[in-house]
Amino acid sequence: MRENLATTDLVSPSLGGADSKARQAALSRLEALVAANDRLIAKLDERYLAVLSSRILALGEKATLQELGTRFGLTRERIRQVEVIVEKKVRHRLSSGDNKDFRDASLRFQDQLGLVFPTDRLQTLQQLLSESEITRGHTLLLPLLIWSAGPYEQVGDFFVRAPAEKVVAQSRKVIRALTRRGPVEAGEASEPLLRLGIKGEFHRRWILGLGEFRFLDKYLASWTGNLADKAEIVLKIRGCPMNREDISAEIGEQFNIDSLANRFSDDPRFCRTDLSHFGLKKWGLAEYSSIVDELVAEIAQKGGEASAEYLVSTLTSKFHVSASSVKSYLAGPRFIGTSRGTILVRTEQEPFTPGRKIELTKRCYRLKTGWAYRIPVDEELLHGSGRTLPSAFAAEIALAPLKRLRLASQYGVIPVSWPAQQPSIGSLRTVVEKLGGVLGDYVFVEYVSASRLRFILTKKEMIERAAGLERLVLETCASSVPDGSEPLQRIARALGLDATASLHAIRRRLETRGEDDLLPFLPQVLGGDEDAIRDLLELVGG
């Protein structure tokens, strides 16, 4: 007879080699264990065994009282009573002197498995017991051992000794305390977890399973903050300036890489060390000015006014940026072009008029009180990143270049700013969470009064179920203005048109705004001669 020695090692001391007497003694103990297992479940009828195996001893999903009641033609209450009876019966048998071997084996199991063990360890144990001729066929042996050693409850990819919620809470508490002030060497987590009773071989997997932490090389860090918080952790660990592509790769999540630069410019923890690298301000490194700042400095050196040709030539040679990049900055709101072909720096007192009216601006819609801007709920937003705003919408909320505002809302104060090229709004993650938003929804930011915003959420499921004008009403948030008018009238108003605007005028407005993706939701056939004449007059300017 061939026996797997690893099987006996799980429930008895190590055999210490191939000594035949030690081997025989271990096999004898294994046989005694199986005999004890048989005594524990002796004379239990089919109902008792079913309740024992699928309720009391079950690891992971348990059979419901209703399922067992239907199987045996009993009420749920009767199954519950059977569960109480059979557990009491098995525990009583387990306490008897005849089953001391089983109790000793379960204590060794408890010591070997620890407070938590991964679910794949259970599969290994099952495989070992199935390979032994002594234990093969005794399907309740392993569940009984684990139950008497625990019991254990499944949490994700681990089995955790009950009460599992307490073990998870204690684990999170000690790792949070460890990483509260920043990344630590991963080995520092071993001692507090060992004190809890968690085996060292499972520490890394268990910490990752807690869901709040991240290993970066040999370091462990809290990983619950926003994009900027995670970038700070990466820089702390690397200890040197990095470009945004490398920082993004280290973070390893889906987000718009351009948002990193926006975060860095608005966050006092970071500084730009050259054209493409960022570091931590506390390192005391010399800060690199942005292209905008360099242009401002060059214009100041020229007495407050410089030609575009000079600025493009100087910046391209000095910082190796493209001419088109410099020109795009010069065309931004930070600078003013004169009739002489020169460039001036805009001051806070300088009036600003956006190049495009808000009614012609993509994703901006007129609602009941004011204009709103539609923002998709994507991974970047859910991670806490801010969002750029159209300049026309920024002007609508009284935001101008070089200014920052803090606008009130039903979900707290929302910061908006226009430090350089584009205006932006701060993180809307909390707003979306409070509204119950998920990936794929829309959040509409409406300016309702002086320094106050309102947020409206449109659910992804509603959008996907809708078609035609109903879909267009949702896409433009016209559904938030329940005034009893027809869908086409509400859509026209949302686009900044008169409610009596024709279908052709609505179609033309969507095209002008660059919202061709919304055109398929409009009716394709114009209704009646009167509409056709009105559309023709609009086309020829009549």
Side-chain angles (χ1 to χ4, degrees):
M1 175 179 69
R2 176 187 178 277
E3 289 299 334
N4 188 318
L5 300 186
T7 304
T8 59
D9 192 47
L10 291 168
V11 291
S12 64
S14 172
L15 295 179
D19 182 86
S20 60
K21 289 184 178 180
R23 174 188 174 85
Q24 189 56 48
L27 294 179
S28 296
R29 287 195 295 272
L30 192 57
E31 289 171 346
L33 185 65
V34 170
N37 171 79
D38 292 343
R39 287 193 296 273
L40 289 174
I41 62 175
K43 297 182 181 180
L44 296 181
D45 64 20
E46 184 183 359
R47 294 174 305 163
Y48 278 38
L49 285 173
V51 171
L52 178 65
S53 62
S54 62
R55 293 277 301 175
I56 299 170
L57 305 183
L59 287 168
E61 188 174 354
K62 300 177 183 288
T64 66
L65 297 174
Q66 185 62 52
E67 288 170 346
L68 290 170
T70 301
R71 175 178 170 183
F72 294 107
L74 300 172
T75 64
R76 296 172 71 256
E77 175 58 23
R78 180 54 186 156
I79 294 295
R80 188 192 64 77
Q81 293 170 359
V82 169
E83 184 174 359
V84 173
I85 293 169
V86 71
E87 181 171 358
K88 184 182 295 186
K89 190 184 292 288
V90 173
R91 286 197 182 278
H92 177 72
R93 292 177 179 180
L94 186 60
S95 65
S96 71
D98 291 343
N99 293 317
K100 183 178 182 302
D101 286 342
F102 199 96
R103 292 197 303 275
D104 290 344
S106 69
L107 287 174
R108 284 191 288 273
F109 244 59
Q110 187 179 85
D111 181 63
Q112 291 182 37
L113 296 176
L115 200 61
V116 305
F117 66 92
T119 54
D120 54 22
R121 176 59 62 91
L122 178 63
Q123 297 167 358
T124 301
L125 296 174
Q126 291 170 332
Q127 177 69 24
L128 289 172
L129 292 176
S130 69
E131 291 177 356
S132 167
E133 293 181 15
I134 294 176
T135 55
R136 188 182 302 129
H138 295 269
T139 56
L140 292 184
L141 173 58
L142 182 58
L144 274 167
L145 279 169
I146 294 176
W147 173 71
S148 59
Y152 287 85
E153 302 169 352
Q154 187 167 3
V155 177
D157 293 329
F158 278 85
F159 291 117
V160 183
R161 195 179 302 158
E165 295 87 351
K166 182 179 179 181
V167 176
V168 172
Q170 288 176 329
S171 298
R172 286 197 174 120
K173 182 178 179 180
V174 299
I175 303 301
R176 283 171 183 166
L178 190 66
T179 58
R180 182 176 63 249
R181 296 185 179 180
V184 297
E185 290 197 11
E188 293 185 36
S190 293
E191 185 179 344
L193 291 180
L194 285 172
R195 285 201 301 267
L196 290 180
I198 300 172
K199 295 291 182 182
E201 60 187 301
F202 306 141
H203 285 177
R204 189 179 183 93
R205 291 174 63 183
W206 176 243
I207 290 172
L208 290 175
L210 295 174
E212 297 183 6
F213 310 98
R214 169 86 177 272
F215 287 95
L216 290 96
D217 291 342
K218 62 178 182 178
Y219 293 96
L220 171 64
S222 173
W223 206 248
T224 57
N226 59 31
L227 195 59
D229 296 329
K230 294 172 181 177
E232 181 186 21
I233 289 170
V234 169
L235 287 168
K236 279 183 178 179
I237 290 174
R238 298 305 171 214
C240 62
M242 300 171 64
N243 62 41
R244 59 183 182 175
E245 289 78 15
D246 289 341
I247 297 173
S248 173
E250 291 271 11
I251 293 174
E253 298 173 5
Q254 294 295 320
F255 57 85
N256 186 338
I257 196 170
D258 291 335
S259 64
L260 267 180
N262 293 333
R263 280 301 184 94
F264 292 151
S265 64
D266 291 337
D267 196 308
R269 291 173 290 179
F270 304 96
C271 68
R272 196 168 191 167
T273 59
D274 62 27
L275 186 60
S276 59
H277 287 74
F278 299 88
L280 296 178
K281 189 162 290 187
K282 65 181 181 181
W283 290 345
L285 301 174
E287 289 195 46
Y288 165 82
S289 299
S290 69
I291 295 297
V292 169
D293 292 335
E294 295 294 339
L295 287 169
V296 170
E298 290 293 338
I299 293 172
Q301 287 183 3
K302 286 290 184 178
E305 187 173 350
S307 69
E309 292 77 10
Y310 166 78
L311 293 170
V312 170
S313 175
T314 302
L315 269 291
T316 53
S317 61
K318 192 173 181 179
F319 296 110
H320 307 290
V321 293
S322 68
S324 59
S325 293
V326 178
K327 290 177 181 178
S328 69
Y329 281 107
L330 291 175
R334 190 70 174 86
F335 304 98
I336 302 172
T338 70
S339 58
R340 301 181 297 278
T342 56
I343 304 295
L344 304 175
V345 178
R346 183 184 298 278
T347 64
E348 288 190 29
Q349 293 72 36
E350 195 75 36
F352 174 78
T353 303
R356 197 175 183 88
K357 295 180 179 179
I358 193 166
E359 60 266 26
L360 301 179
T361 301
K362 190 175 184 178
R363 308 298 181 243
C364 289
Y365 308 104
R366 186 174 60 188
L367 305 186
K368 184 176 182 180
T369 305
W371 284 89
Y373 178 56
R374 189 183 83 197
I375 299 175
V377 178
D378 54 20
E379 292 281 2
E380 184 181 342
L381 186 148
L382 293 175
H383 279 104
S385 298
R387 191 60 53 93
T388 57
L389 297 172
S391 57
F393 185 74
E396 186 71 19
I397 63 177
L399 180 65
L402 307 180
K403 290 190 176 180
R404 297 174 184 269
L405 300 175
R406 291 172 60 81
L407 304 180
S409 78
Q410 68 266 48
Y411 302 109
V413 174
I414 306 297
V416 292
S417 62
W418 200 335
Q421 288 296 93
Q422 288 185 293
S424 64
I425 188 168
S427 173
L428 298 180
R429 179 173 63 180
T430 300
V431 172
V432 170
E433 287 175 349
K434 289 182 178 180
L435 286 169
V438 298
L439 194 67
D441 293 345
Y442 289 150
V443 61
F444 290 85
V445 184
E446 182 185 10
Y447 188 64
V448 293
S449 63
S451 301
R452 186 167 185 83
L453 300 176
R454 181 170 71 122
F455 297 95
I456 304 167
L457 189 80
T458 301
K459 300 297 292 180
K460 175 184 177 182
E461 308 87 72
M462 294 176 59
I463 298 168
E464 291 178 341
R465 284 198 303 265
L469 290 180
E470 181 186 357
R471 172 69 178 267
L472 197 51
V473 164
L474 294 174
E475 293 276 353
T476 60
C477 205
S479 54
S480 69
V481 191
D483 57 2
S485 59
E486 294 297 319
L488 210 57
Q489 295 175 315
R490 294 160 71 182
I491 292 165
R493 282 198 297 267
L495 296 174
L497 294 165
D498 187 83
T500 61
S502 68
L503 184 60
H504 174 76
I506 293 173
R507 183 180 299 277
R508 190 167 57 181
R509 174 58 58 89
L510 288 174
E511 291 171 345
T512 303
R513 291 162 58 99
E515 293 182 301
D516 293 351
D517 57 315
L518 301 184
L519 291 174
F521 304 122
L522 285 173
Q524 297 301 308
V525 180
L526 298 178
D529 291 340
E530 185 177 339
D531 279 346
I533 293 171
R534 185 166 53 190
D535 291 341
L536 180 59
L537 287 174
E538 287 180 356
L539 276 174
V540 299

